[in-house]
Amino acid sequence: MIRTYPGPAISAATAVAQSLAEMSSLVAVGALIHVLLLRPLPGRKAFPLPAGSDLTILRWASAVWAVAALALIPLYALDTAGVPLSALGQPGITAYVVDAASNLSASIIRFAFAAIVALTARTASRWTTLLIGLWAAAIAVLTPIVVGQVLVGPNHDLGLDAAVIQAVAAYPTFGVLVVLAIRSLLGSVIATVTWRRWLRMAVVALPLIALAEVVVTWFKLAGTPLLASATGWLMLVRWAALALIVTATIAVVVTRRRRRFRRAENGLLALASVGVFSWVAVAAAMLRKPPPQYDVPTSVNEVFLGFDPQVAPTFAAIAGTWRPNLLYIAIAVAGIAVYLGALVVVRRRGIAWPLGRTVSWILGWVFAVMATSSGLGYYSAPHFGIHMIMHMSLSMLVPVLLALGGPLTLLLRAGRAGGPVASLHDWVSWLLSWRVSKALYNPLVAFVLFISSYYALYFTDLFQTLMRYHWGHQLMNVHFLVVGYIYYSLIIGVDRGPKPLPHIAKLGMAMAAMPFHAFFGVILMNGRSIIGQDFYRMLDIPWADLPAAQELGGGVAWAGGEIPSLLVVVALGIQWARQDRKEAARRDRHMDTGRDTEYEDYNAMLAALAERGTDKREGSGR
């Protein structure tokens, strides 16, 4: 007989393993950030990996994380199936548990990437290896979040974005705080540069964490009173833990300024760590009980989209409808803030920076927010044609503007090379020289990624599989932007890549993409099968016209591929002409100063050859 409650042993073991996995993952991420970005470095040409407590904390935390994530796979299976350990021997029960385990793909992914973090921490001999671990840690942390409670209920698009933003801000910030507390308790002195860098992180991250917590609280309560559910009480505990973290952090800042109170620093850091672990433990406890948003009546559209677009997408509806895409708004604000901060540093040093680059960068992010938060973003999920408009905006228009902004060049000029600690200049330089970066900036790789993304996404089941989930839709959007930026940065980008291309090769890349876009658009317009047909038919859309939407999408793909490509070719021609003029002016200046003797040397060489030929003829005549 199938049970509905697995018993106290499985429930307690699952809760403990979940809490252990969350806490160890937070420490592992904090240790990675500390090792890579915050600690003082004696080397100038490379990042030496630390010996002692820095790497030890990372290795132990990542190992515990991997073990806890592995243990959660069978525990989740038993918990989901409602089967206690004592019932496993009964006929049919084991097969039922195995069937339940087959639906735990998120847990398996978390374990796989947590194991990669542990493996890189154990075997890394270079700092760039730990970058792979950092990316794996991000996937392992975000995977269970995006498929958890925030994926259910009305407005889950807002709740999920807020949860992702909070995790990206909280795990590095709180993780480093715990690592600093551990190092302090072990007797290590926290370097001033480390503390200052973490404070800069905290000043930005803590308000962001609090704002995201407000959105998540509003989403989970779904209009119910705060104290009317266990979720509300647990959210209050989360807020109290967050207040404890902020208060203890402020107290540490005060004690570090007053040296006579330095002894209290260890205790305050430990108190802040208690707040961090309480904040994480409450999040794990909340998974044991469905929040109020589970009980809210939900339409079919709200199940898949988070909202219910019943109004047809006329021009007026698209222009007047706005629904914030919190993830892209956060990315845009961060991108503009970092760029302007680097610009201020550059200007203070008296280094000129063209205004057009700044305008291009800001416009790129403005258009990205407009494409995802306006009516285009609102109707991009239920209407394929509008989805294609947003797709082309994110993969072609926005990347062109961002590439013309030259962000890497600006960051390189804002940082100072060398010094006792790694600077922004060192990080960007070493990142560009990384083998992975060189592989991504390989022209052939960039071209294949840019073109194949269209065919692999829309002519397989991948599109309609991702469209069923808000995280899948957001993942597509991020992919469009990243791949488009890499491609166009090679063609018209201001930044100098690992292997710069000559202008003729850039022109070839731009021209080569045109027929692929045209062919893709023609297939969509003339194709008989509807792209994502099963997904669109599951939606309750009264105004849906799938063939017309796909025909519009095909036309957008054709025009959106040809017109921007032509504009890119024109911009490339202008850049080419400007570079030729600069080179000609440089040569003229060089010759005017008398330092360029290339023309005279060439004439002297011809005269010497002619004289040698004359001597040979005279010799043969004798």
Side-chain angles (χ1 to χ4, degrees), residues 579-597:
Q579 183 174 344
D580 287 344
R581 286 198 298 268
K582 289 181 180 180
E583 181 65 21
R586 185 191 67 80
R587 281 182 167 275
D588 290 341
R589 289 193 303 269
H590 212 55
M591 294 183 68
D592 291 341
T593 58
R595 289 179 291 178
D596 194 332
T597 61

Side-chain angles (χ1 to χ4, degrees), residues 334-507:
I336 294 174
V338 171
Y339 192 95
L340 294 180
L343 181 61
V344 170
V345 174
V346 167
R347 290 285 175 83
R348 285 177 179 175
R349 295 177 184 171
I351 303 174
W353 185 256
L355 177 62
R357 296 180 184 179
T358 304
V359 172
S360 179
W361 178 262
I362 295 176
L363 281 179
W365 286 117
V366 169
F367 283 134
V369 171
M370 291 180 62
T372 54
S373 296
S374 67
L376 295 178
Y378 183 83
Y379 286 105
S380 63
H383 193 284
F384 183 79
I386 299 176
H387 164 85
M388 194 58 64
I389 296 175
M390 188 185 71
H391 174 167
M392 290 298 168
S393 299
L394 292 178
S395 64
M396 303 195 75
L397 174 61
V398 174
V400 167
L401 293 171
L402 296 181
L404 292 174
L408 297 181
T409 303
L410 180 61
L411 293 178
L412 286 172
R413 294 184 182 180
R416 295 183 184 273
V421 296
S423 66
L424 185 62
H425 186 282
D426 296 326
W427 285 324
V428 176
S429 299
W430 290 328
L431 190 61
L432 288 176
S433 63
W434 190 23
R435 293 180 180 178
V436 176
S437 300
K438 291 181 178 179
L440 290 175
Y441 274 92
N442 183 291
L444 180 60
V445 173
F447 181 81
V448 171
L449 283 175
F450 184 69
I451 297 300
S452 64
S453 295
Y454 296 88
Y455 295 88
L457 178 63
Y458 295 106
F459 295 152
T460 66
D461 291 333
L462 185 60
F463 171 72
Q464 69 176 1
T465 299
L466 292 176
M467 288 296 291
R468 295 178 182 179
Y469 312 100
H470 180 67
W471 63 263
H473 201 180
Q474 293 287 57
L475 184 63
M476 281 191 290
N477 293 340
V478 172
H479 174 81
F480 296 153
L481 184 61
V482 172
V483 173
Y485 175 80
I486 293 175
Y487 176 75
Y488 285 110
S489 63
L490 287 173
I491 298 177
I492 60 171
V494 173
D495 298 323
R496 183 181 178 88
K499 292 183 178 180
L501 296 175
H503 280 88
I504 189 65
K506 294 179 180 180
L507 180 62

Side-chain angles (χ1 to χ4, degrees), residues 136-287:
I139 296 173
V141 166
L142 293 178
T143 297
I145 292 176
V146 299
V147 298
Q149 292 179 346
V150 289
L151 191 62
V152 180
N155 300 309
H156 70 257
D157 56 324
L158 303 178
L160 193 149
D161 282 353
V164 169
I165 294 169
Q166 187 180 68
V168 171
Y171 272 75
T173 306
F174 291 166
V176 171
L177 182 61
V178 174
V179 169
L180 295 181
I182 295 174
R183 295 183 74 249
S184 181
L185 292 175
L186 293 176
S188 300
V189 178
I190 300 176
T192 302
V193 64
T194 299
W195 182 252
R196 287 178 179 174
R197 288 180 175 180
W198 180 83
L199 278 180
R200 292 170 186 169
M201 286 176 51
V203 167
V204 176
L206 289 176
L208 193 61
I209 294 169
L211 289 174
E213 191 80 350
V214 170
V215 176
V216 172
T217 302
W218 163 80
F219 163 67
K220 287 193 172 184
L221 293 180
T224 61
L226 178 63
L227 304 181
S229 63
T231 298
W233 284 99
L234 290 173
M235 294 302 296
L236 278 180
V237 177
R238 292 251 299 180
W239 279 104
L242 189 59
L244 177 61
I245 297 168
V246 175
T247 303
T249 300
I250 295 174
V252 173
V253 173
V254 174
T255 57
R256 289 186 68 87
R257 290 181 177 178
R258 301 177 182 179
R259 296 188 177 183
R260 57 180 178 175
F261 295 113
R262 284 291 285 277
R263 295 181 179 179
E265 182 178 306
N266 290 357
L268 291 172
L269 286 174
L271 185 63
S273 298
V274 170
V276 170
F277 285 136
S278 300
W279 191 79
V280 173
V282 171
M286 291 174 67
L287 298 177

